[in-house]
Amino acid sequence: SDVANLKTTAVKTEDGKHYIVNGSKKWITNGVFADFFTVAVRTGGKGMGGVSLLLLERTMPGITTRQMQCSGVWSSGTTYITFEDVKVPVENLIGVENQGFLYVMFNFNHERWGASVQALRFSRVCLEEALKYSLKRETFGKKLIEHPVIRLKMAHMARQIEATQAWLELITYQMCTMS
């Protein structure tokens, strides 16, 4: 996501009591199931200094959601959300106006870390299953694991997984100890 250049806008009303939100958000996981949305909006000028976060309720007039047709991930409720003149009380501002970019980036770091943890775990499971299979399957009169090319491929997979584990441990340490 190019958060610093987002297009969804939130303009304050003349009385300063509401924001009027217009725009759309795409690829929102679980959006069809959500009752509330934390929405990054443009409240200021261009770039990261003009982004704010607002809390919107699904029931606010002007919000429409539709589930996107995504192969293999139907249960994740990936959603396209549109905002048409949604009136949002200024009390629904999360944090400080025009400081939302920092909040989003902080959250992205943790989301990406979580995705890395999942990918690493899936890699270990895949390697384990491949090893089990190679110990059972026979080709050309011997176990698959007895073929040098298969052992080399398994070694490369294990090397990459262990390198990723070391990297992830370092990143985790930094996330826990650095400010």
Side-chain angles (χ1 to χ4, degrees):
S1 296
D2 186 5
V3 178
N5 291 309
L6 59 84
K7 305 293 184 222
T8 300
T9 60
V11 179
K12 274 191 184 170
T13 56
E14 287 186 26
D15 63 8
K17 294 182 179 181
H18 294 89
Y19 290 98
I20 303 300
V21 177
N22 285 288
S24 61
K25 300 292 180 181
K26 192 173 185 180
W27 306 110
I28 306 303
T29 305
N30 292 315
V32 293
F33 311 118
D35 293 324
F36 298 91
F37 304 107
T38 302
V39 182
V41 294
R42 175 138 327 272
T43 52
K46 291 183 177 183
M48 61 185 169
V51 176
S52 297
L53 293 180
L54 292 175
L55 179 66
L56 279 67
E57 297 178 46
R58 172 189 289 283
T59 57
M60 290 176 163
I63 296 178
T64 57
T65 61
R66 68 177 170 81
Q67 187 162 2
M68 297 170 61
Q69 303 292 324
C70 300
S71 297
V73 289
W74 185 253
S75 62
S76 70
T78 304
T79 310
Y80 184 78
I81 307 172
T82 56
F83 308 102
E84 295 180 32
D85 296 324
V86 181
K87 193 174 184 180
V88 182
V90 293
E91 292 81 14
N92 287 28
L93 176 68
I94 298 171
V96 178
E97 188 173 83
N98 296 323
Q99 295 297 307
F101 181 84
L102 297 173
Y103 309 140
V104 171
M105 289 299 106
F106 181 78
N107 186 60
F108 273 1
N109 286 340
H110 291 82
E111 283 183 12
R112 290 173 179 152
W113 177 86
S116 299
V117 169
Q118 290 174 350
L120 180 59
R121 181 63 194 139
F122 293 150
S123 299
R124 287 189 180 282
V125 169
C126 289
L127 177 59
E128 180 182 352
E129 291 302 315
L131 184 58
K132 285 179 188 177
Y133 181 77
S134 72
L135 292 168
K136 293 179 188 175
R137 175 82 164 104
E138 289 191 17
T139 59
F140 305 105
K142 56 183 172 180
K143 302 273 184 200
L144 200 55
I145 195 68
E146 294 172 4
H147 295 283
V149 69
I150 299 299
R151 285 196 310 271
L152 181 63
K153 287 182 181 201
M154 295 282 191
H156 281 308
M157 286 187 280
R159 177 184 50 81
Q160 290 174 325
I161 289 169
E162 290 305 316
T164 303
Q165 178 72 41
W167 170 79
L168 188 60
E169 288 177 12
L170 175 63
I171 296 297
T172 303
Y173 173 77
Q174 290 174 343
M175 287 175 64
C176 291
T177 60
M178 297 175 74
S179 57

